[in-house]
Amino acid sequence: FDPEDRLRWANAWFRSTYGVDPTLAPTWEDMLRACHRLRRGVLIETEDFDAWLAGVRQRYRRSPVRRFESDLCDGRWTTVTETVLPGGWLLMAINDVTPLKTAETQARQALAEKRWPPKDLQTT
């Protein structure tokens, strides 16, 4: 994203996942509005989009590097790393971590079902 928050380059995965036409250069806000309206890309579960956006804006571009998890409308999970570059450009690196999140969920469920740890390993 350029200093005016317009998407200037994105790979095919990003454009496909977030529903961004390769011939367009939407602003960050316009892209998020489309994700919410079309239920595509980042999962935004709110009835008040503007209030949600105001909350996100409090964190967006506020630190040189920010990393967080994000879930997508199609059930996938990503980690997002935002890096504010000199001149106000923003570089976003997004990694699909769905297999890791799936394994984590399965492990948590297995532990809960087995009441882990076993009583003979518990300390009192």
Side-chain angles (χ1 to χ4, degrees), residues 2-60:
D2 69 14
E4 287 76 40
D5 257 347
R6 190 161 295 282
L7 182 65
R8 292 301 176 187
W9 187 87
N11 64 21
W13 181 92
F14 181 94
R15 288 188 179 275
S16 172
T17 299
Y18 292 85
V20 178
D21 184 310
T23 64
L24 301 179
T27 64
W28 173 79
E29 183 175 323
D30 288 342
M31 189 184 76
L32 290 177
R33 284 186 184 281
C35 285
H36 182 250
R37 185 180 66 253
L38 301 172
R39 303 284 298 159
R40 187 165 187 178
V42 63
L43 181 61
I44 303 169
E45 295 182 303
T46 184
E47 292 184 23
D48 187 349
F49 178 83
D50 292 319
W52 177 88
L53 184 64
V56 172
R57 281 224 177 264
Q58 292 178 355
R59 296 178 299 278
Y60 180 68

Side-chain angles (χ1 to χ4, degrees), residues 62-67 81-84:
R62 297 291 187 233
S63 60
V65 177
R66 182 169 78 110
R67 186 171 187 262
T81 303
E82 296 176 342
T83 305
V84 179

Side-chain angles (χ1 to χ4, degrees), residues 88-99:
W89 286 80
L90 179 77
L91 173 65
M92 264 188 195
I94 302 174
N95 296 294
D96 185 339
V97 295
T98 304

